[in-house]
Amino acid sequence: MGYYVKDVLYLVWDRGTVVLSGEVPAQVRSLSFIKFDNRVGKYRALGMYYYKIKAVLDSLGVGYEDGVLSPICRSVEAAKRPALRPYQEEALSSWLRGKRGVVVMPTGAGKTYVAIEAIARLGQSTLVVVPTIELLRQWERRLSEYFPGRVGVWYGEEKRELCITVTTYDSAYVAVEHLGNRYPLLVFDEVHHLPSESYRQIAELSPAPYRLGLTATPERADDLHLFLPELVGPVIYKMAISEAAGKYLAEFDVEVVKVGLSEEEMRRYKELEKIYKDYIRAKGLRFKSPSDFGKLVMLAGRSAEARRALEAWHEMRRILFESKGKVDAVADILKKHPDGKVLIFTEYTALAREVSRRYLIPEVTYDVPDQERELVMEMFRRGEVRALVTGRVLDEGVDVPDVDVVVILGGTSSSRQYIQRIGRALRLKPHKAKIYEVITARTREVDMSRRRRRGVS
Amino acid sequence: MIPLELLRASRRGDQVSPRYLRELWPAEYVLGAYKPGMRLAEARAKVEDAPFEPKLARGLAHIVERTIALEEVDRRLLTKIRLEVFREAAKAYPVVDEEGRRRVVEAVASRLKIPPEAVEAALAKIHEDELVIVRGPDISAEELAALYNTSLIQTLLFRSRRMAAYVVADGARVKELVRALKGLGLMYVAERAGDGIRLDIDGPVSAIKQTERYGTRLAKLVPYVISADDWRIEADIGLYGKVYKFVEAKSSAPRLAHRDIEPPQFDSTAEEEFYRNVSRLCAVQREPEALVVGNRVFIPDFKIGDLYVEIVGFWTPDYIARKYEKLAAAKIPLLVLVDERLALATWKDLPHYVVLYKDRPRLSDVFKYIKPYCARH
């Protein structure tokens, strides 16, 4: 037909993959990540290998037509630039060397500004991926200060692409097939989420050559963080929480408040505990890490006994995390800090709802419409309300500048969740931050609390 | 479709199959739990107390809840009242006893000129499960069981890596299936098999690695497959770290439901944007009737009045060659929008309106061609 030259090599984007057609050199065909696709009779690779394929072709001196990237904006200019602290500048210049990699900094140390300056220096269309809608709004607001009129969001009902688009891990997982090739730079906030089985595909299916990951805690209990170097790049800057405390972050005190279960709650708890423990003992199971717990879940798929044990475990948790004593304990803590800004975390939304109903403080959970959640966050930021109660929605990243009291009414034994939660109160302030952990005496929660605090101080 | 955590399936050797509901009484129990006048939370509590497996009860409830109507509330107004309460409480912060709480509620009530009970109701009714059921389920136990069993197949397919669908059906049905799978971003290889055809379906990434990425999309094809005169599904399902075979056929399946056929999605963001922009001004038909061009089937992307519109993105040379041939032979009023990276002189020779675009088609460039055909909604 004459408008495509037969022996020229074409690189084309196809929904998360790069298709190579025409004359593919043998050295490229033999690359381990390139597969021949019988369905279309062409070679194909995951989007993430795009820059490697290009590097190989360039080193071979082979000419090719490249239609993979199709950036949404030709260039992105910042209206103003953030003033970076010395350690932020250090993190940035380390990233700029390879333009791939993970920056590890404690919550409150200003990771966002490192990313903003990275986008400004690179000047290319960028997709920012974050865990929650609260964080999406925060990034949108922050980015808009530096790139006014250039910041869009892509999630749920609102899909508006601009030079810099902020999206959630959930939305990006689905949309990467369509959006992937429009953004040469990917920024992953709270990048420890990325290596999970499904979210990992955002990095795998995107052809973005430039990648930046941000987190306070890259390690995962399931070791999947070992995939991060391949997906985003190596850790190129790391700052420990102890380096920042007192200088860039507030110091904090932890107080453990023990509450009792009511007689009725305790009776039920003991019953369930017996069902659970009898089963574990009979099967000789031992739980050392969270992945061991998966064994019980697997067994529950097969036997009714295991299923009962698992159900007992879930109900025990609910009793611990929702006990009435915990709701009562909140009153005493609120009274102790009449001038403080207080953030209360629960494990289950039912408890958040009860705390909200009883003390008339707003709840930020998925049970409440997005619009109310946004308005409430605004009010909290402006100081119009003094306390918030939330489930896991605010575990991470969201900036609530001058919180000085954090109350944890229930949580897992994960020290990451713990660090993230107390991190909400760690923005630098003249006085010490106060952390309360409310736990149920004489139950396994005492042990859970000990485990999550291990390795933090 | 019901969520994965409510899937009930049993495994034997390397086979997996859904645990279908074959009796009607559990369906009747769950239907009976949702009575008009009740709060949703009360109905859900009854479901939790069901005298059979909780997963079955919750799965049935999931479907039933799509068939009931809840009282309508103005969520904006509820939020407004709630925010008033939170602000008022902040003035008296901290509000820790019943007396203080009552004072806050009353102050807000008198300011908004509504009774205190209405304030309490607003505090509660922001949560969906506090709403009252105004219309109960309008399906029979048989239908519910059929919907449930269909959902089980679909939910099992959430974890599928590839699916083969064998169908015996007329051309229109097959075309619907093929169009749906393309719209979902899936790929297929077809072959004749017995009286029907067999489609091996997966997605772009499947050629490189096994992935459950396309599972939810494969599940959406089930309604198309089971509406064929005869059908059979084979799929590889990843469960508990192993891969199982799932096989189901018309002859062995329980009664299924033929609802839930979803409208096709767009092939590309360029198409989607174009559709959004044009449909603000003119009536646009997406994927109009199939045309026969030469001896092949051609379904243009859009139709505006009598004008067909086809968007040609940047794609592999032989795909473009096939498309070019089809377009060249089509004797219809046709507007062709071509990615400028394909901008080669030959496109100009097409007997149609041809407009090049960069990144995505812009309405301002093409409106003069569309205008004569544009009918207001």
Side-chain angles (χ1 to χ4, degrees):
Chain A
M1 203 137 305
Y3 47 88
Y4 255 113
V5 185
K6 220 18 195 198
D7 52 0
V8 167
L9 174 60
Y10 290 89
L11 303 188
V12 178
W13 167 252
D14 181 25
R15 296 165 291 180
T17 65
V18 173
V19 173
L20 297 87
S21 62
E23 208 55 49
V24 182
Q27 295 97 319
V28 172
R29 285 199 299 255
S30 62
L31 292 170
S32 63
F33 49 79
I34 290 189
K35 296 270 164 23
F36 187 72
D37 183 348
N38 285 315
R39 298 169 303 179
V40 293
K42 296 183 198 324
Y43 289 90
R44 200 188 277 273
L46 289 177
M48 69 185 294
Y49 295 112
Y50 165 64
Y51 80 103
K52 285 196 182 167
I53 296 171
K54 271 175 79 79
V56 173
L57 289 172
D58 291 341
S59 73
L60 294 172
V62 178
Y64 54 94
E65 290 291 321
D66 182 354
V68 173
L69 288 178
S70 173
I72 177 152
C73 297
R74 208 150 306 162
S75 67
V76 184
E77 255 172 73
K80 60 171 184 171
R81 308 286 280 267
L84 295 188
R85 292 171 177 159
Y87 65 89
Q88 291 167 327
E89 187 61 57
E90 197 186 318
L92 177 71
S93 52
S94 171
W95 181 80
L96 281 170
R97 251 167 258 145
K99 300 189 180 69
R100 295 171 70 85
V102 174
V103 169
V104 181
M105 260 182 210
T107 315
K111 294 183 284 286
T112 314
Y113 294 104
V114 177
I116 287 173
E117 185 61 13
I119 297 170
R121 296 261 186 106
L122 204 63
Q124 304 225 30
S125 307
T126 304
L127 188 67
V128 179
V129 189
V130 307
T132 61
I133 293 171
E134 270 67 23
L135 269 170
L136 175 141
R137 289 282 167 233
Q138 178 175 310
W139 273 89
E140 183 194 14
R141 211 168 31 240
R142 193 73 56 77
L143 284 164
S144 296
E145 286 171 34
Y146 296 90
F147 305 94
R150 304 259 181 284
V151 183
V153 294
W154 184 281
Y155 79 99
E157 289 306 295
E158 195 178 351
K159 298 191 166 79
R160 188 164 43 83
E161 268 192 281
L162 287 170
C163 303
I164 303 172
T165 299
V166 190
T167 182
T168 61
Y169 280 90
D170 282 329
S171 295
Y173 168 74
V174 179
V176 64
E177 290 173 31
H178 292 303
L179 305 189
N181 67 332
R182 296 151 80 93
Y183 302 93
L185 171 59
L186 280 179
V187 175
F188 295 103
D189 192 18
E190 311 291 349
V191 70
H192 49 271
H193 288 282
L194 184 68
S196 77
E197 193 64 50
S198 51
Y199 292 159
R200 190 188 307 170
Q201 297 183 13
I202 302 167
E204 289 175 339
L205 271 58
S206 157
Y210 314 118
R211 297 165 183 225
L212 170 61
L214 307 170
T215 178
T217 49
E219 284 85 16
R220 293 169 58 107
D222 59 11
D223 284 337
L224 287 182
H225 58 274
L226 297 173
F227 284 102
L228 278 177
E230 202 195 356
L231 298 174
V232 184
V235 171
I236 42 97
Y237 183 84
K238 188 167 193 164
M239 180 188 204
I241 195 163
S242 52
E243 282 175 56
K247 192 164 167 211
Y248 299 111
L249 296 178
E251 293 182 73
F252 59 95
D253 264 344
V254 180
E255 185 175 330
V256 175
V257 178
K258 288 192 180 167
V259 298
L261 289 176
S262 71
E263 243 171 72
E264 167 65 24
E265 284 169 339
M266 192 47 114
R267 195 186 48 73
R268 181 74 187 136
Y269 182 83
K270 290 290 170 202
E271 245 174 58
L272 294 163
E273 193 179 45
K274 187 170 176 332
I275 296 173
Y276 174 74
K277 282 201 170 152
D278 284 354
Y279 179 81
I280 299 300
R281 213 168 292 136
K283 292 281 164 195
L285 293 174
R286 276 167 182 277
F287 298 133
K288 288 207 178 113
S289 79
S291 55
D292 290 345
F293 189 73
K295 279 187 233 157
L296 178 60
V297 177
M298 241 166 98
L299 286 168
R302 282 177 217 154
S303 95
E305 256 188 309
R307 205 145 49 228
R308 262 193 299 279
L310 186 63
E311 275 163 18
W313 183 85
H314 279 299
E315 203 186 325
M316 278 157 70
R317 264 170 75 99
R318 240 185 327 268
I319 290 177
L320 292 181
F321 293 155
E322 289 181 11
S323 76
K324 189 171 167 304
K326 287 190 169 173
V327 182
D328 294 340
V330 171
D332 298 328
I333 296 170
L334 294 181
K335 274 190 280 187
K336 264 195 244 173
H337 300 274
D339 302 315
K341 239 183 165 183
V342 184
L343 192 52
I344 304 167
F345 287 101
T346 71
E347 182 67 10
Y348 294 104
T349 54
L351 181 60
R353 202 194 278 194
E354 182 52 22
V355 169
S356 168
R357 198 197 63 78
R358 196 121 142 231
Y359 303 112
L360 300 179
I361 56 186
E363 60 194 299
V364 176
T365 66
Y366 291 121
D367 280 358
V368 169
D370 290 0
Q371 195 218 0
E372 177 173 321
R373 272 161 45 197
E374 275 171 38
L375 291 170
V376 158
M377 290 302 294
E378 250 337 288
M379 284 165 64
F380 190 55
R381 242 175 246 120
R382 286 196 303 262
E384 267 175 75
V385 291
R386 310 293 291 282
L388 273 192
V389 59
T390 180
R392 290 177 165 197
V393 186
L394 297 186
D395 269 10
E396 286 184 329
V398 173
D399 210 1
V400 268
D402 39 4
V403 166
D404 30 30
V405 181
V406 168
V407 183
I408 299 174
L409 290 187
T412 61
S413 36
S414 139
S415 53
R416 181 213 323 285
Q417 183 189 48
Y418 183 72
I419 291 173
Q420 299 273 12
R421 286 179 163 186
I422 66 172
R424 301 304 115 231
L426 294 184
R427 308 270 149 184
L428 190 59
K429 54 181 71 75
H431 52 277
K432 273 192 171 183
K434 182 88 186 180
I435 319 289
Y436 289 96
E437 270 198 79
V438 183
I439 59 175
T440 318
R442 296 198 298 137
T443 64
R444 46 189 294 278
E445 210 179 0
V446 178
D447 188 42
M448 285 166 71
S449 150
R450 202 173 19 245
R451 264 185 288 165
R452 67 184 165 232
R453 269 178 289 132
R454 197 157 48 194
V456 173
S457 44
Chain B
M1 296 192 274
I2 56 179
L4 192 59
E5 67 266 20
L6 298 181
L7 173 66
R8 298 190 319 137
S10 50
R11 290 162 286 157
R12 184 179 294 162
D14 63 348
Q15 300 277 325
V16 62
S17 55
R19 280 168 42 217
Y20 294 117
L21 176 61
R22 296 186 190 271
E23 295 166 295
L24 289 182
W25 69 270
E28 275 156 9
Y29 177 93
V30 173
L31 284 169
Y34 291 82
K35 290 211 167 59
M38 235 180 207
R39 283 182 306 123
L40 187 57
E42 293 170 73
R44 285 182 181 167
K46 279 194 117 180
V47 169
E48 288 303 303
D49 291 341
F52 46 89
E53 215 190 315
K55 260 191 194 175
L56 171 59
R58 288 177 205 150
L60 290 167
H62 189 87
I63 296 168
V64 171
E65 287 190 12
R66 283 184 303 183
T67 71
I68 60 171
L70 299 172
E71 66 176 304
E72 296 209 12
V73 289
D74 179 348
R75 294 185 120 199
R76 288 197 125 140
L77 180 63
L78 295 184
T79 289
K80 203 180 141 216
I81 299 172
R82 285 167 56 86
L83 297 189
E84 273 309 301
V85 171
F86 299 143
R87 269 193 208 105
E88 187 67 30
K91 285 187 213 155
Y93 181 83
V95 175
V96 290
D97 53 26
E98 270 308 310
E99 179 52 28
R101 192 178 178 286
R102 200 178 50 76
R103 272 201 300 271
V104 170
V105 170
E106 277 171 6
V108 171
S110 78
R111 186 171 333 126
L112 299 178
K113 301 189 174 52
I114 51 175
E117 301 79 64
V119 176
E120 288 287 0
L123 287 177
K125 284 185 190 294
I126 202 79
H127 304 110
E128 191 196 37
D129 60 3
E130 291 288 333
L131 298 180
V132 172
I133 300 169
V134 291
R135 201 195 63 228
D138 60 353
I139 51 171
S140 66
E142 287 84 3
E143 275 176 278
L144 175 56
L147 283 166
Y148 178 76
N149 289 334
T150 311
S151 295
L152 278 186
I153 295 179
Q154 293 183 288
T155 301
L156 187 60
L157 286 171
F158 285 174
R159 303 301 297 270
S160 63
R161 298 168 170 207
R162 55 188 349 111
M163 175 170 100
Y166 163 80
V167 287
V168 181
D170 57 48
R173 278 279 144 93
V174 175
K175 208 155 58 204
E176 238 177 19
L177 170 61
V178 170
R179 191 190 287 170
L181 78 85
K182 279 188 180 166
L184 289 165
L186 299 171
M187 298 174 71
Y188 71 97
V189 174
E191 63 181 16
R192 287 240 141 252
D195 298 333
I197 54 169
R198 182 192 151 101
L199 300 172
D200 278 296
I201 310 167
D202 52 16
V205 173
S206 313
I208 303 162
K209 65 173 211 172
Q210 296 287 335
T211 173
E212 284 152 28
R213 179 173 184 83
Y214 305 110
T216 41
R217 298 180 225 180
L218 292 169
K220 286 183 184 166
L221 297 178
V222 168
Y224 297 92
V225 176
I226 64 175
S227 65
D229 302 330
D230 192 19
W231 57 267
R232 181 182 163 86
I233 289 173
E234 294 167 21
D236 295 340
I237 311 282
L239 275 181
Y240 310 102
K242 271 180 70 179
V243 180
Y244 295 89
K245 285 249 173 292
F246 165 59
V247 178
E248 191 54 273
K250 183 164 185 178
S251 55
S252 56
R255 201 189 128 198
L256 300 175
H258 299 188
R259 285 195 187 184
D260 281 346
I261 293 195
E262 297 189 15
Q265 291 171 0
F266 292 94
D267 289 346
S268 68
T269 36
E271 270 177 41
E272 188 172 348
E273 254 181 57
F274 181 81
Y275 177 77
R276 238 193 351 247
N277 292 335
V278 177
S279 60
R280 275 202 284 264
L281 302 169
C282 322
V284 185
Q285 193 187 345
R286 277 180 59 195
E287 308 216 308
E289 74 278 9
L291 304 168
V292 178
V293 173
N295 52 5
R296 282 195 293 228
V297 172
F298 173 45
I299 309 171
D301 295 326
F302 305 109
K303 191 178 182 187
I304 302 167
D306 289 328
L307 176 73
Y308 293 88
V309 181
E310 178 70 6
I311 297 179
V312 185
F314 191 58
W315 190 207
T316 59
D318 50 299
Y319 169 82
I320 297 297
R322 281 202 306 274
K323 180 134 276 185
Y324 186 91
E325 280 168 19
K326 274 187 190 175
L327 292 174
K331 291 184 180 56
I332 47 168
L334 180 63
L335 169 63
V336 186
L337 304 171
V338 184
D339 188 322
E340 69 165 15
R341 283 173 295 173
L342 304 169
L344 297 133
T346 28
W347 289 104
K348 290 284 180 200
D349 303 337
L350 284 174
H352 307 295
Y353 309 121
V354 177
V355 176
L356 300 181
Y357 69 84
K358 187 176 178 61
D359 302 332
R360 64 203 62 92
R362 269 164 249 278
L363 193 53
S364 50
D365 298 339
V366 298
F367 193 64
K368 62 179 170 192
Y369 301 106
I370 293 172
K371 203 170 166 229
Y373 298 92
C374 176
R376 303 256 159 198
H377 297 284

